[in-house]
């Protein structure tokens, strides 16, 4: 438990960034926060440091990622196929199965110390989902949850044609989080045809643009989602907009 509670969060927009580069950056921030928490254990209360909270938004070039519980055969492409589609493949340390990231998809990586908010991973996942659900409602898209499945879904009640619009997978250690969510905004849905998305064979995937029949303003969706995250987590955004260049050069 932190002696000092920090509700301030830095928002960083990394733009279009290679998956490995973003992963390395996440790992760096994740390790920094864990280091502060470890150091604080040895310090008296009046000498302890606050732990930071960061929320990273970005897009990735075409890439498939496989979580710890995933099956490699859920990727339906070989190395030559990946090369032809200009896509990469990574096995990573988040939970969940296989998913796709690409341009037009809003990827969020909250690197939060949950000691600053609430120490409950289940609540954390549900809060991320709720931010997505509220964002979609602002575009007149009714979305929700399906019991036993992570992420955010359409047709989640009757389930005649359930479709996943946002995938999720997180890692947490000592209540510090990394990885996060991927909301399909203007995503090229054809790339999902090369995987069994999240290991679920009998349900489809969709995007905001597909549901509305038009492309939407990506930056507007990002701003809307950022606001909902801030409200639900009771965050105070602690810095102005960061650009990818500002961040990675420091």
């Amino acid at each position: 438990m932190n002696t000092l509670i920090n509700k301030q969060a830095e928002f960083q927009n990394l733009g279009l960034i290679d998956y490995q580069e973003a992963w390395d950056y996440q790992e760096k921030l994740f390790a920094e926060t864990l280091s502060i928490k470890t150091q604080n254990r040895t310090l008296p209360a009046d000498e302890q440091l606050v732990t930071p909270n960061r929320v990273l938004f970005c897009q990735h070039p075409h890439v498939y990622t496989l979580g710890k519980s995933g099956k490699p055969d859920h990727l339906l492409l070989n190395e030559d196929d990946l090369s032809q589609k200009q896509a990469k493949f990574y096995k990573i340390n988040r939970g969940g199965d296989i998913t796709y990231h690409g341009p037009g998809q809003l990827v969020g990586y909250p690197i939060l110390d949950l000691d600053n908010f609430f120490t409950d991973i289940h609540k954390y996942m549900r809060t991320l989902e709720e931010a997505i659900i509220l964002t979609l409602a602002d575009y007149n898209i009714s979305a929700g949850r399906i019991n036993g499945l992570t992420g955010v879904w359409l047709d989640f009640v009757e389930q005649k044609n359930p479709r996943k619009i946002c995938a999720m997978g997180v890692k947490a250690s000592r209540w510090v989080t990394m990885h996060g969510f991927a909301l399909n905004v203007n995503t090229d849905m054809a790339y999902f045809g090369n995987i069994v998305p999240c290991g679920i064979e009998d349900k489809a995937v969709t995007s905001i643009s597909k549901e509305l029949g038009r492309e939407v303003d990506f930056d507007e969706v990002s701003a809307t989602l950022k606001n909902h995250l801030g409200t639900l987590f009771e965050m105070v955004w602690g810095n102005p907009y960061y650009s990818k260049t500002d961040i990675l050069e420091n």
Side-chain angles (χ1 to χ4, degrees):
M1 182 69 181
N2 292 356
T3 301
L4 302 173
I5 300 299
N6 176 30
K7 294 286 189 179
Q8 182 169 294
E10 296 180 3
F11 175 73
Q12 303 179 359
N13 188 336
L14 303 182
L16 182 67
I17 183 173
D18 178 77
Y19 185 84
Q20 183 69 59
E21 188 176 8
W23 188 6
D24 290 345
Y25 183 55
Q26 279 191 83
E27 291 278 14
K28 174 178 176 288
L29 299 180
F30 183 75
E32 285 177 359
T33 303
L34 288 177
S35 177
I36 293 171
K37 296 194 79 168
T38 299
Q39 181 181 350
N40 280 346
R41 290 179 178 179
T42 66
L43 296 174
D46 61 348
E47 294 182 19
Q48 292 181 11
L49 303 175
V50 296
T51 51
N53 306 295
R54 281 101 164 198
V55 177
L56 316 179
F57 278 8
C58 66
Q59 300 177 66
H60 294 305
H62 303 298
V63 62
Y64 297 100
T65 67
L66 183 70
K68 293 184 293 183
S69 59
K71 298 180 180 179
D73 60 4
H74 287 164
L75 176 65
L76 308 178
L77 302 174
N78 59 34
E79 288 188 12
D80 289 340
D81 295 330
L82 285 168
S83 179
Q84 289 176 8
K85 294 182 180 297
Q86 298 182 316
K88 295 181 179 180
F89 172 68
Y90 294 102
K91 293 181 179 179
I92 61 175
N93 59 357
R94 61 160 170 79
D97 204 289
I98 195 165
T99 195
Y100 160 77
H101 300 306
Q105 183 187 70
L106 175 53
V107 180
Y109 297 129
I111 303 168
L112 309 179
D113 180 3
L114 293 183
D115 265 327
N116 290 321
F117 303 98
F118 47 77
T119 50
D120 183 330
I121 292 298
H122 178 80
K123 182 178 179 180
Y124 173 65
M125 295 290 288
R126 302 297 80 79
T127 305
L128 292 181
E129 289 169 352
E130 187 65 20
I132 301 295
I133 290 167
L134 292 173
T135 299
L136 293 169
D138 289 334
Y139 288 86
N140 296 315
I141 296 174
S142 177
R145 303 172 182 85
I146 294 178
N147 287 339
L149 300 175
T150 59
V152 177
W153 298 80
L154 307 191
D155 189 18
F156 58 97
V157 179
E158 295 184 357
Q159 297 184 35
K160 294 179 179 179
N161 179 28
R163 328 184 273 292
K164 177 176 273 193
I165 196 165
C166 181
M168 293 190 178
V170 304
K171 173 187 175 181
S173 177
R174 282 178 277 168
W175 300 116
V176 181
T177 67
M178 65 177 290
H179 298 298
F181 58 83
L183 173 63
N184 296 323
V185 181
N186 299 316
T187 316
D188 182 350
M189 305 307 293
Y191 277 82
F192 283 98
N194 303 314
I195 60 173
V196 180
C198 302
I200 302 168
E201 299 187 48
D202 62 342
K203 293 179 174 62
V205 290
T206 191
S207 67
I208 296 177
S209 61
K210 183 176 181 179
E211 295 298 320
L212 298 181
R214 61 177 174 83
E215 284 208 354
V216 294
D217 186 317
F218 190 91
D219 290 340
E220 181 185 82
V221 176
S222 298
T224 301
L225 179 52
K226 176 192 170 188
N227 288 339
H228 285 306
L229 284 170
T231 299
L232 291 171
F233 281 94
E234 300 180 346
M235 292 175 178
V236 178
W237 297 112
N239 66 299
Y241 172 92
Y242 276 96
S243 73
K244 175 181 175 181
T245 302
D246 293 335
I247 296 160
L248 298 179
E249 285 184 352
N250 293 326

